[in-house]
């Protein structure tokens, strides 16, 4: 398919061809006409799907060559590294330097950046917090912005930069708003909903890579926060007959201690920790000792400073946290011979981006499991409920206000995950 499908100008087609882009990407085919037509768009696609090139081309197409005193396009990205990447894309496609493009991040002095904006620019590529600082200093004029773009929106949310994005977007109220992201989740929706129009079009491109290797059965539980992860882990581990030998991976030794202490240790050998921080905790320095002890059922392992660990022969691998490097998880789930293993991953919204990268790398999706019906969903903002004392009762009788917190944050889900996992596993094992 030729680049003519994108309906670009001849200079842009020439620039694309010279840069080695000979055929359009799917995300470009699906979004370009809508962006050029002035629609608000949310474009969802994996890394490498062509999102950056899409909005660079759209920006160069939409802006007129005429000089303006204030910038006409503002592109927000998560960090300085992304600023450099976007500037490189513009340099590649902005032939003859038709537009004045400025990069803004924390590496430059605020006063210098104020002067650079005042000197005149057409397109600004910036990190949200620095752009907001310049806006508050009246250096960044958003009144002329025609195109407001948020790239890698999921990473911006992960970095906690939602407030400056919303403030800047609302200030550019005349602009067309376009959001590019690798995935959509609740926190991201909360960020973009204040400025995206009701008529916004969402376009999703789901490109999965080729299957690289055979992996164990993959299951994914999506939960709101770490405290709910602990509740879910405890609930699953209550099925002692099914989860008879389990390794639970977390990122740090301190987190491993937290998980270990969370269990109700009726049998001190049942829940153990690998190379514990504290000598009085029941644990192992050699995983082979854990494998050999039938009384030890769950071993909690920290990825921190962890060398290669032989987990063969253990039927359940649980990643309570996503490791910093996706390769760490992938090497654990690659199938070894005919061994049957169930690999379970717990993920919050923020961690879903890492899940997507893992899925891209292995070339297949994880099975998303339904949360157990009796799982307690913890509201991260809530505080532990205060128990009534006799003094509280007396105060209540005297008219003092005492209100029990509502359980409105608790949600009910269909408990089929454990059953599904067990049946699948038993079928593979040939058990009745």
């Amino acid at each position: 398919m030729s680049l003519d499908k994108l309906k670009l100008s001849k200079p842009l087609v020439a620039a694309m061809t010279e840069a080695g882009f000979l055929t359009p990407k799917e995300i470009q085919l699906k979004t370009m006409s809508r962006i050029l037509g002035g629609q608000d768009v949310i474009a969802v696609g994996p890394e490498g799907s062509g999102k950056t090139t899409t909005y660079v081309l759209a920006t160069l197409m939409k802006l007129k060559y005429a000089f303006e005193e204030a910038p006409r396009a503002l592109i927000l990205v998560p960090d300085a590294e992304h600023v450099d990447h976007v500037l490189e894309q513009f340099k590649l496609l902005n032939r003859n330097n038709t537009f004045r493009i400025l990069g803004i991040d924390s590496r430059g002095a605020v006063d210098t950046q104020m002067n650079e904006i005042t000197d005149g620019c057409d397109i600004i590529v910036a990190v949200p917090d620095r752009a907001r600082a310049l806006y508050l200093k009246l250096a960044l004029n958003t009144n002329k912005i025609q195109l407001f773009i948020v790239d890698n929106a999921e990473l911006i949310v992960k970095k906690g930069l939602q407030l400056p994005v919303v403030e800047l977007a609302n200030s550019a109220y005349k602009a067309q708003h376009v959001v590019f992201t690798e995935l959509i989740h609740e926190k991201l929706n909360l960020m973009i909903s204040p400025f995206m129009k009701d008529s916004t079009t969402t376009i999703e491109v789901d490109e999965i890579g080729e299957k690289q290797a055979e992996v164990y059965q993959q299951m994914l539980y999506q939960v709101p926060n770490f405290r709910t992860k602990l509740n879910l882990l405890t609930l699953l581990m209550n099925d002692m007959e099914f989860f008879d030998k389990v390794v639970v991976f977390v990122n740090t030794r301190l987190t491993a201690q937290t998980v270990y202490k969370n269990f109700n240790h009726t049998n001190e050998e049942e829940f153990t920790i690998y190379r514990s921080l504290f000598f009085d905790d029941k644990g192992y320095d050699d995983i082979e000792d854990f494998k050999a002890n039938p009384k030890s059922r769950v071993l909690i392992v920290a990825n921190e400073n962890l060398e290669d660990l032989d987990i063969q022969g253990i039927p359940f691998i649980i990643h309570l946290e996503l490791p910093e490097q996706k390769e760490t998880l992938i090497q654990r789930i690659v199938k070894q011979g005919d061994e049957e293993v169930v690999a379970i991953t717990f993920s919050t919204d923020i961690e879903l981006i890492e899940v997507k990268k893992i899925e891209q790398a292995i070339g297949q999706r994880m099975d998303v499991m339904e949360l157990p019906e009796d799982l307690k969903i913890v509201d991260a903002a809530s505080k532990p409920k205060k128990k009534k004392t006799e003094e509280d009762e007396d105060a209540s009788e005297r008219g003092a206000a005492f209100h029990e917190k509502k359980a409105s944050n608790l949600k009910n889900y269909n408990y089929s995950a454990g059953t599904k996992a067990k049946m699948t596993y038993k079928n593979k094992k040939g058990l009745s």
Side-chain angles (χ1 to χ4, degrees):
M1 190 176 296
S2 70
L3 294 172
D4 294 338
K5 292 286 184 179
L6 299 180
K7 300 188 183 304
L8 300 174
S9 64
K10 290 182 179 180
L12 277 180
V13 171
M16 287 279 285
T17 304
E18 187 176 323
F21 302 117
L22 303 179
T23 57
K25 297 272 191 176
E26 182 182 356
I27 199 166
Q28 294 164 357
L29 290 169
K30 289 184 174 181
T31 61
M32 189 65 72
S33 62
R34 296 179 184 275
I35 297 173
L36 295 180
Q39 291 186 29
D40 276 17
V41 173
I42 301 171
V44 186
E47 185 178 7
S49 60
K51 297 189 295 296
T52 304
T53 308
T54 300
Y55 69 74
V56 167
L57 290 170
T59 302
L60 295 175
M61 276 293 293
K62 281 186 71 74
L63 299 187
K64 303 299 182 184
Y65 297 151
F67 177 83
E68 293 281 354
E69 293 181 357
R72 289 169 287 155
L74 177 60
I75 301 166
L76 299 181
V77 295
D79 50 41
E81 183 181 349
H82 283 86
V83 170
D84 291 342
H85 173 65
V86 176
L87 291 178
E88 282 297 320
Q89 290 295 304
F90 270 112
K91 184 178 179 180
L92 199 63
L93 300 174
N94 181 33
R95 302 179 76 184
N96 304 320
N97 296 318
T98 306
F99 296 100
R100 301 161 299 168
I101 305 166
L102 179 63
I104 298 290
D105 56 63
S106 58
R107 292 173 297 184
V110 172
D111 289 343
T112 301
Q113 291 169 348
M114 290 174 65
N115 292 332
E116 288 174 335
I117 294 174
T118 304
D119 288 342
C121 60
D122 301 299
I123 302 164
I124 291 181
V125 183
V127 295
D129 48 353
R130 179 55 64 92
R132 177 177 180 266
L134 293 167
Y135 167 72
L136 293 177
K137 287 180 175 292
L138 305 181
L140 175 57
N141 180 359
T142 59
N143 291 333
K144 297 286 187 178
I145 290 178
Q146 302 170 24
L147 197 55
F148 184 96
I149 297 170
V150 183
D151 190 19
N152 290 107
E154 78 289 345
L155 294 182
I156 287 177
V157 172
K158 187 175 183 178
K159 289 176 175 289
L161 297 172
Q162 299 96 312
L163 176 61
V165 171
V166 173
E167 189 169 344
L168 289 165
N170 286 333
S171 72
Y173 63 95
K174 296 179 182 178
Q176 173 189 0
H177 298 90
V178 181
V179 174
F180 288 85
T181 181
E182 288 197 29
L183 74 162
I184 294 180
H185 51 64
E186 184 179 358
K187 289 184 178 179
L188 191 146
N189 280 328
L190 287 174
M191 178 181 75
I192 65 177
S193 60
F195 58 85
M196 299 300 286
K197 297 182 178 69
D198 293 337
S199 58
T200 297
T201 300
T202 300
I203 296 170
E204 188 165 0
V205 174
D206 190 18
E207 295 180 354
I208 193 76
E210 292 184 8
K211 195 169 185 178
Q212 299 297 318
E214 288 295 327
V215 296
Y216 298 130
Q217 181 186 359
Q218 300 295 303
M219 295 182 177
L220 174 67
Y221 286 100
Q222 297 180 16
V223 294
N225 48 54
F226 183 76
R227 289 164 65 189
T228 306
K229 282 185 181 183
L230 289 179
N231 290 345
L232 177 58
L233 180 64
T234 302
L235 195 59
L236 294 180
M237 292 305 102
N238 284 341
D239 190 343
M240 294 181 288
E241 181 181 351
F242 180 50
F243 291 101
D244 55 350
K245 210 72 171 177
V246 183
V247 173
V248 178
F249 287 102
V250 295
N251 283 336
T252 68
R253 296 176 72 192
L254 189 59
T255 304
Q257 294 295 141
T258 301
V259 176
Y260 175 76
K261 296 295 184 184
N262 186 69
F263 288 111
N264 183 16
H265 301 284
T266 54
N267 176 359
E268 65 174 12
E269 288 187 281
E270 183 180 6
F271 298 97
T272 56
I273 193 166
Y274 184 69
R275 298 185 179 177
S276 170
L277 280 172
F278 306 112
F279 70 91
D280 56 339
D281 291 333
K282 184 64 179 177
Y284 295 97
D285 291 331
D286 189 336
I287 194 170
E288 296 302 324
D289 294 334
F290 166 73
K291 293 178 183 179
N293 188 347
K295 294 182 180 179
S296 294
R297 191 164 62 92
V298 179
L299 181 67
I300 304 156
V301 180
N303 293 319
E304 188 177 38
N305 300 322
L306 181 67
E307 72 285 358
D308 290 339
L309 197 67
D310 182 8
I311 56 176
Q312 287 192 47
I314 298 175
F316 293 97
I317 303 170
I318 296 179
H319 284 93
L320 193 70
E321 294 183 303
L322 275 294
E324 292 183 4
Q325 302 296 328
K326 65 178 183 293
E327 291 77 15
T328 302
L329 186 149
I330 292 171
Q331 68 182 4
R332 293 173 185 157
I333 63 175
V334 173
K335 201 166 188 178
Q336 306 292 328
D338 295 329
E339 187 179 17
E340 294 295 345
V341 174
V342 178
I344 302 173
T345 300
F346 291 16
S347 173
T348 61
D349 283 350
I350 297 300
E351 292 171 313
L352 279 176
I353 182 60
E354 304 305 326
V355 171
K356 294 292 184 184
K357 292 182 186 300
I358 291 166
E359 291 176 333
Q360 289 291 320
I362 64 177
Q364 69 180 65
R365 300 295 184 204
M366 297 182 184
D367 293 329
V368 179
M369 311 304 291
E370 295 181 9
L371 296 176
E373 189 177 72
D374 48 349
L375 172 65
K376 182 178 180 181
I377 307 294
V378 181
D379 182 352
S382 67
K383 296 179 180 179
K385 193 180 289 185
K386 180 183 176 183
K387 293 183 179 179
K388 277 191 176 183
T389 63
E390 292 182 3
E391 291 181 1
D392 292 325
E393 296 290 351
D394 293 340
S396 178
E397 291 177 3
R398 293 193 301 269
F402 181 89
H403 301 286
E404 290 282 358
K405 292 183 180 178
K406 295 180 179 178
S408 57
N409 291 313
L410 302 183
K411 302 175 184 178
N412 292 324
Y413 296 85
N414 182 18
Y415 184 37
S416 63
T419 303
K420 181 177 179 181
K422 183 176 290 188
M423 292 302 296
T424 304
Y425 185 65
K426 283 186 175 182
N427 287 339
K428 286 193 173 184
K429 296 288 283 186
L431 301 175
S432 58

